[in-house]
Every structure is written in structure tokens, then in C-alpha cells.
Amino acid sequence: AMTDRFTYRGPDDQGFHFEPGVGFGFRRLSIVDLEGGHQPMTNEDKSLVLIANGEIFNHREIRFQLKEKGHVFRTSCDIEVLLHLYEEYGPSFVEKLNGQFAFAIFDRNAKRLMLARDHVGIAPLFYTCVDGLLIFASEIKAILEYPSVSKRVNLTGLDQILSFPGMVSPQTMFEGISCLKP
């Protein structure tokens, strides 16, 4: 139901990954590597699971550098570089990216979930915690599909939207739902 809320943003493909404690759903608008860019995407040994929205502008340069270090790519999709960068540099790899993106990487070995947005904050990433779960999406309306998520108005967010040109992260219009800072 959550991914169905933004079918219009990803009409070309959908994918899911479920395992104990983790569930990813994804809708894709195919731009780069129309056939090979299915998500969620994994690395070779399936220890990393990735979903990403947006574009990595410097993916060709990064791919070349990573191939020189011995990384093997299975697709020509721009977001595959995220998996290999994480393998090579860990979470600090975000500093090497140029683009507009939001992504989640689940590291099965470390039992760690990494969420990140581009440095300017062009691609959105919203999240909330309910019932002991972290729920996140690129649109708030997907989060609102989860039955326990409150639909109460956040008065601080309302004040910001009426006072400024827009809201300031992490505020949103909904109480308990935040926007990840760039």
C-alpha cells in the first residue's frame, strides 16, 4: 500500500525486499540502465541491500575509480556505485557524491541501516518511528499508509509554511513525521 501511493513517480518497475526486521518497497522511474536498474539492489554477496531515488551525477568517474580498485559492476545503473562506495569507504562515502538523491542501505553484517540525502536537500526523505519501527519514504503520503501513523497537524510546521517560503528540516506538516536533513 505504501508504494502504491506514488505509482505515478515510479511507473516503470517495483520491487520489494523482506527479511526479519527489515522491509523495503520501491517504485522506479527508469532513466539510466532501463533493464539493469531493478531495486532493491544488492551487492555481489548480498550483504548490502539498497534503495535509492534520484541521480548520481558523477557516477561515471566513481565507477572508473572503483573498477581500478577491483570492484565488479553488474549493471550500468548510476545508483550501483552507492553499494561499491559503501563497501570501499563505509558511511563516509556520501562525501564523494555529486547529485540529487535519497537512499537507504541496509548492511546485513553490521545490522545497520543508513539513510542519506543529497547535500543540498533536493531529493526528500521523510521518516517516523511508531510501534518500535522506523518507517521512511520519499513522500509523506506513503508513510501515512501505515496504520499506526498519526495524521495530526504539526503546529510548528504549519507556522513555518505560513511564515517562510517553506518548512525547515526536520519539520513537516505532520506531528511525529520528520524530514531528514541534507
Side-chain angles (χ1 to χ4, degrees):
M2 291 175 72
T3 61
D4 287 346
R5 291 296 288 162
F6 48 90
T7 302
Y8 65 92
R9 283 191 42 216
D12 299 331
D13 192 16
Q14 68 177 344
F16 300 93
H17 172 86
F18 297 104
E19 64 182 81
V22 177
F24 282 170
F26 188 79
R27 297 293 311 201
R28 180 170 185 233
L29 173 63
S30 301
I31 298 172
V32 177
D33 191 359
L34 305 183
E35 299 299 318
H38 180 76
Q39 294 186 50
M41 186 179 285
T42 61
N43 61 341
E44 295 91 339
D45 68 3
K46 301 194 183 325
S47 62
L48 302 175
V49 182
L50 165 74
I51 54 175
N53 177 35
E55 295 180 71
I56 309 302
F57 301 147
N58 60 338
H59 71 96
R60 287 183 185 87
E61 301 88 60
I62 291 171
R63 182 182 300 267
F64 178 78
Q65 294 165 2
L66 290 168
K67 281 183 175 181
E68 285 189 328
K69 292 179 177 274
H71 289 267
V72 177
F73 287 80
R74 294 179 292 171
T75 75
S76 59
C77 188
D78 59 336
I79 62 104
E80 187 180 1
V81 300
L82 301 175
L83 291 168
H84 296 283
L85 279 170
Y86 182 90
E87 289 173 325
E88 190 69 31
Y89 301 105
S92 67
F93 82 87
V94 175
E95 299 165 9
K96 300 182 179 305
L97 297 174
N98 177 11
Q100 55 186 50
F101 55 83
F103 66 82
I105 293 179
F106 177 60
D107 182 335
R108 294 168 126 169
N109 295 333
K111 300 200 181 329
R112 173 176 46 210
L113 176 67
M114 176 182 177
L115 302 177
R117 274 178 87 187
D118 61 83
H119 312 296
V120 179
I122 296 170
L125 187 57
F126 302 98
Y127 66 93
T128 190
C129 292
V130 291
D131 301 334
L133 300 173
L134 172 66
I135 301 168
F136 63 93
S138 60
E139 291 193 17
I140 290 176
K141 60 184 164 186
I143 293 173
L144 295 174
E145 285 295 317
Y146 191 81
S148 299
V149 171
S150 169
K151 295 173 179 68
R152 289 189 306 266
V153 172
N154 173 6
L155 295 179
T156 302
L158 178 61
D159 181 51
Q160 285 183 357
I161 202 78
L162 296 173
S163 302
F164 305 125
M167 287 178 277
V168 180
S169 293
Q171 296 296 326
T172 71
M173 285 296 296
F174 293 91
E175 194 173 295
I177 299 177
S178 299
C179 183
L180 188 67
K181 290 184 179 182

